[in-house]
């Protein structure tokens, strides 16, 4: 990539809820010499956001571009080393920016939790991004950095200890926070896409639908994201019950894609799943069953309603709106803790802990996305020499881990 570009990092979608949070984070996290710009559809709104950020952002640039204006996005991508985008659902609005970055050799980070979007990006722009050296990195928020980096670090530890390849690996999530309007709208976008083309449903259902090479997919039998079991079945140290984790279907695909991008180094018998802690009370089994059943029922209802205009209007009325979010107090009171338990071929056991304060979908995600953008802009000498449509661990690995630890997140691996 040419080093004479005007900006180091452009934040696209800076006037949205998560965009503003990310901009606020960059004020303190970015180097003082970083050349940053805010981008969006309205110059007036961009100016207001920059003014609200205070004197530290006074020198930041402003770039006007719409997600549907390809020439404007091409110009944006050509101006900067890195684009960080919060403009979703990506399935509706994201592909023109991917195209622009792949063409210009510009690194890119987004927040997508949409396998359909990533599959389309792979099919459309993988080869071009490799040719230009662009790192197009998907899922750089709570979905899916904690999942992806935890397994990557477990792999590294098993190699360092010479304890063999990874086999059964399970992440157990405990969280305090709510689903964002953007996440829900992304789910709707995928349901609408499947309603228009039912063949796309296989991308959601197949565990290796984001694989870089179908012929190399491990043959480990059925893998399901649905869960309802005692936690002790995962590890004797756990108590209570676990249920389906709503983002498991996406995160597990990202982790498996990382394995493929790195040459299937996790192992030929690597199996991965994610579950959510449902508690220890007498009612925990009912809670777990309700969560699991509710997720399935909700997805089914959304799929049906998305097929007709009346159903889509009903969803518009009852679901949280994208671009909205909780109060600062609510964001500060949130948290997440992931425990990822892994077994290796030699019988060794490990547990990775990935934890952070702040609502996962908002405060923590602003940190994760912000540091991803900064890593792509300033850590190229510490990153793998991969390009194309990438995952966080495959693109940034150790460099991003170091940044997130420095930002206050807990990231540890221990032998159990």
């Amino acid at each position: 990539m040419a080093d004479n570009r005007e900006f180091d990092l452009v934040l696209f979608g800076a006037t949205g809820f998560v965009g503003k949070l990310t901009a606020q984070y960059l004020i303190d996290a970015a180097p003082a010499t970083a050349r940053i710009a805010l981008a969006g559809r309205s110059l007036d709104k961009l100016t207001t956001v920059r003014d609200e950020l205070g004197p530290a952002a006074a020198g930041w640039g402003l770039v006007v571009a719409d997600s549907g204006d390809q020439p404007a996005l091409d110009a944006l991508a050509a101006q900067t080393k890195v684009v960080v985008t919060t403009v979703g659902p990506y399935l509706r609005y994201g592909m023109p920016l991917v195209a622009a970055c792949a063409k210009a050799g510009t690194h890119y980070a987004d927040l997508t939790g949409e396998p359909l979007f990533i599959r389309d990006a792979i099919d459309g722009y993988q080869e071009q991004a490799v040719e230009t050296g662009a790192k197009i990195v998907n899922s750089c928020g709570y979905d899916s950095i904690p999942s992806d980096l935890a397994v990557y670090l477990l792999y590294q530890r098993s190699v360092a200890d010479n304890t063999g390849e990874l086999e059964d690996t399970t992440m157990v999530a405990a969280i305090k926070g709510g689903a964002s309007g953007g996440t829900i709208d992304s789910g709707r976008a995928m349901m609408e896409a499947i309603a228009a083309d039912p063949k796309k449903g296989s991308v959601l259902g197949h565990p290796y639908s984001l694989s870089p090479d179908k012929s190399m997919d491990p043959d480990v039998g059925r893998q399901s994201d649905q869960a309802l079991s005692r936690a002790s079945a995962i590890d004797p140290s756990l108590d209570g019950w676990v249920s389906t984790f709503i983002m498991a279907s996406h995160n597990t695909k990202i982790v498996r894609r990382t394995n493929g991008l790195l040459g299937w180094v996790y192992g030929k018998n690597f199996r991965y799943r994610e579950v959510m802690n449902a508690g220890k009370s007498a009612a925990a089994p009912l809670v777990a069953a309700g969560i699991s059943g509710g997720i399935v029922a909700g997805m089914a209802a959304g799929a049906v309603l998305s097929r007709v205009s009346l159903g889509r209007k009903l969803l518009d009325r009852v679901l949280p709106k994208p671009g909205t979010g909780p109060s600062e107090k609510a964001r500060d009171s949130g948290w997440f803790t992931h425990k990822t338990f892994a077994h290796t071929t030699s019988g060794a056991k490990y547990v990775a802990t990935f934890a952070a304060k702040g609502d996962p979908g908002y405060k923590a995600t602003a940190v994760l996305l912000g540091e991803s953008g900064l890593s792509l802009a300033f850590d190229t000498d510490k990153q793998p020499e991969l390009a194309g449509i990438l995952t966080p661990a495959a693109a940034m690995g150790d460099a991003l881990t170091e940044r997130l630890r420095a930002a206050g997140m807990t990231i540890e691996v221990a032998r159990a």
Side-chain angles (χ1 to χ4, degrees):
M1 181 192 300
D3 58 7
N4 59 352
R5 300 194 179 189
E6 184 177 355
F7 303 114
D8 296 308
L9 185 153
V10 171
L11 175 60
F12 185 53
T15 61
F17 194 87
V18 177
K20 290 178 182 178
L21 294 178
T22 306
Q24 290 167 358
Y25 179 76
L26 289 172
I27 285 290
D28 295 322
T33 56
R35 299 167 302 162
I36 295 175
L38 306 177
R41 292 180 296 178
S42 167
L43 180 60
D44 288 343
K45 290 182 178 180
L46 289 170
T47 302
T48 298
V49 170
R50 185 176 64 179
D51 291 345
E52 291 173 346
L53 291 171
W60 287 9
L62 302 178
V63 179
V64 177
D66 185 272
S67 60
D69 186 343
Q70 193 66 62
L73 294 176
D74 289 344
L76 184 159
Q79 286 180 276
T80 183
K81 295 179 181 179
V82 178
V83 175
V84 170
T85 174
T86 66
V87 180
Y90 296 90
L91 197 59
R92 292 180 188 148
Y93 308 120
M95 204 60 70
L97 183 57
V98 170
C101 290
K103 178 181 177 181
T106 300
H107 301 329
Y108 160 108
D110 67 27
L111 293 174
T112 189
E114 305 159 54
L116 298 183
F117 171 73
I118 298 175
R119 186 67 257 173
D120 287 348
I122 295 167
D123 294 341
Y125 299 100
Q126 168 71 11
E127 292 183 6
Q128 186 177 32
V130 170
E131 290 173 0
T132 63
K135 292 177 181 281
I136 308 295
V137 192
N138 304 120
S139 303
C140 293
Y142 177 62
D143 315 311
S144 305
I145 286 176
S147 303
D148 201 26
L149 283 185
V151 178
Y152 173 75
L153 295 174
L154 285 165
Y155 153 71
Q156 286 190 316
R157 178 63 183 271
S158 69
V159 170
D161 291 351
N162 194 28
T163 52
E165 298 177 337
L166 299 181
E167 293 190 316
D168 287 341
T169 303
T170 302
M171 187 277 282
V172 182
I175 62 175
K176 180 184 178 184
S180 70
T183 298
I184 293 171
D185 206 33
S186 292
R188 284 190 60 190
M190 288 193 291
M191 292 301 101
E192 290 169 7
I194 292 171
D197 182 1
K199 291 181 181 179
K200 290 183 177 292
S202 63
V203 175
L204 294 186
H206 197 289
Y208 293 98
S209 60
L210 301 183
S211 171
D213 185 346
K214 299 291 186 183
S215 68
M216 295 295 292
D217 293 346
D219 184 12
V220 293
R222 183 175 182 271
Q223 296 182 82
S224 172
D225 297 313
Q226 302 303 313
L228 175 58
S229 67
R230 289 190 177 276
S232 58
I234 298 168
D235 189 86
S237 67
L238 298 176
D239 195 10
W241 290 77
V242 295
S243 63
T244 301
F245 182 45
I246 191 168
M247 288 309 300
S249 178
H250 180 73
N251 293 338
T252 55
K253 291 177 177 62
I254 293 293
V255 170
R256 295 182 190 117
R257 179 164 175 79
T258 294
N259 187 27
L261 289 169
L262 297 179
W264 286 268
V265 293
Y266 294 171
K268 63 180 181 294
N269 292 314
F270 173 67
R271 294 171 59 90
Y272 181 68
R273 65 178 182 137
E274 296 187 348
V275 299
M276 185 171 70
N277 189 329
K280 305 175 184 178
S281 70
L286 295 176
V287 172
I291 292 172
S292 298
I295 290 172
V296 173
M299 291 179 66
V304 172
L305 291 172
S306 295
R307 293 177 183 272
V308 296
S309 61
L310 182 60
R312 292 191 290 271
K313 290 179 181 178
L314 176 61
L315 292 173
D316 287 338
R317 293 184 61 183
V318 301
L319 293 177
K321 300 294 185 292
T324 62
S327 67
E328 182 177 1
K329 181 178 180 180
R331 297 196 303 271
D332 289 344
S333 68
W335 53 267
F336 74 87
T337 298
H338 288 190
K339 296 281 186 179
T340 306
F341 298 85
H343 298 74
T344 73
T345 50
S346 71
K349 297 180 181 180
Y350 295 94
V351 58
T353 301
F354 201 124
K357 296 179 181 178
D359 184 286
Y362 294 100
K363 187 172 183 177
T365 281
V367 177
L368 294 162
L369 181 63
E371 292 294 351
S372 294
L374 294 173
S375 185
L376 289 170
F378 299 110
D379 297 341
T380 52
D381 59 332
K382 302 178 183 178
Q383 295 170 356
E385 294 183 4
L386 289 175
I389 311 302
L390 303 176
T391 58
M396 297 173 281
D398 297 331
L400 181 58
T401 303
E402 291 175 12
R403 281 186 168 276
L404 295 176
R405 283 175 174 152
M409 293 190 172
T410 299
I411 310 174
E412 303 170 343
V413 176
R415 192 158 178 174

